[in-house]
Amino acid sequence: MSLSTALTLTETPQRIDQAWIAAMPKEIAEDLFGVPAGSLVTLFARPGKITALMNLAVQTEEARQREPGWFLEMPSDLAAAAGFASGSLLTIYAKHGALRVEVLPSPSPAIKSAVERTLNQYGEAFEEL
């Protein structure tokens, strides 16, 4: 007797033409996500949505408990492919062994200016934290 598995598709697979790969910076990968440095995140664009895939099987148990997040500026071609404004930000969270992606609008010039002032004034304190 041999083992077999029956698969039933719940939706028709669709081809995705747009995909981007980002390597996590060492500090984000090791210290925050608990995965090896250089771990890759693959981003897929669909109209109005971006999804991400990453091997979280190697994630440390401590990182799983923290549910880490990573913020990065979305490349303009990725934003255009998904229908978001140029300069939008991606937030990628690891939760329960899966990645969740949210898109935040581009920060206004006033917010960028305020952040730069804060970093200039308190940058050393932030580094110590």
Side-chain angles (χ1 to χ4, degrees), residues 41-44 50-54 92 98-101:
V41 176
T42 305
L43 302 165
F44 299 95
I50 295 181
T51 56
L53 292 175
M54 177 183 175
I92 302 173
L99 295 180
R100 185 185 69 192
V101 178

Side-chain angles (χ1 to χ4, degrees), residues 2 9 16-17 26 30 32 59 62 71 79 84 106-107 112 123:
S2 64
L9 294 177
I16 299 174
D17 294 330
K26 182 179 190 230
E30 292 179 349
L32 191 61
Q59 188 181 35
E62 180 185 346
F71 290 76
F84 293 105
S106 176
K112 286 181 181 180

Side-chain angles (χ1 to χ4, degrees), residues 20-124:
W20 287 258
I21 297 175
M24 275 192 170
K26 182 179 190 230
E27 299 80 16
I28 301 289
E30 292 179 349
D31 300 342
L32 191 61
F33 273 72
V35 295
S39 291
L40 300 178
V41 176
T42 305
L43 302 165
F44 299 95
R46 294 188 214 163
K49 185 175 184 180
I50 295 181
T51 56
L53 292 175
M54 177 183 175
N55 180 7
L56 291 174
V58 295
Q59 188 181 35
T60 64
E61 186 60 34
E62 180 185 346
R64 282 190 198 106
Q65 300 303 318
R66 279 195 313 261
E67 299 177 2
W70 179 30
F71 290 76
L72 64 152
E73 189 171 343
M74 190 183 316
S76 58
D77 55 341
L78 175 58
F84 293 105
S86 182
S88 295
L89 301 174
L90 286 175
T91 59
I92 302 173
Y93 297 99
K95 186 172 183 176
H96 302 299
L99 295 180
R100 185 185 69 192
V101 178
E102 294 177 6
V103 178
L104 301 174
S106 176
S108 70
I111 290 175
K112 286 181 181 180
S113 176
V115 168
E116 287 176 16
R117 280 193 314 273
T118 303
L119 285 175
N120 288 336
Q121 189 172 3
Y122 302 107
E124 289 180 20

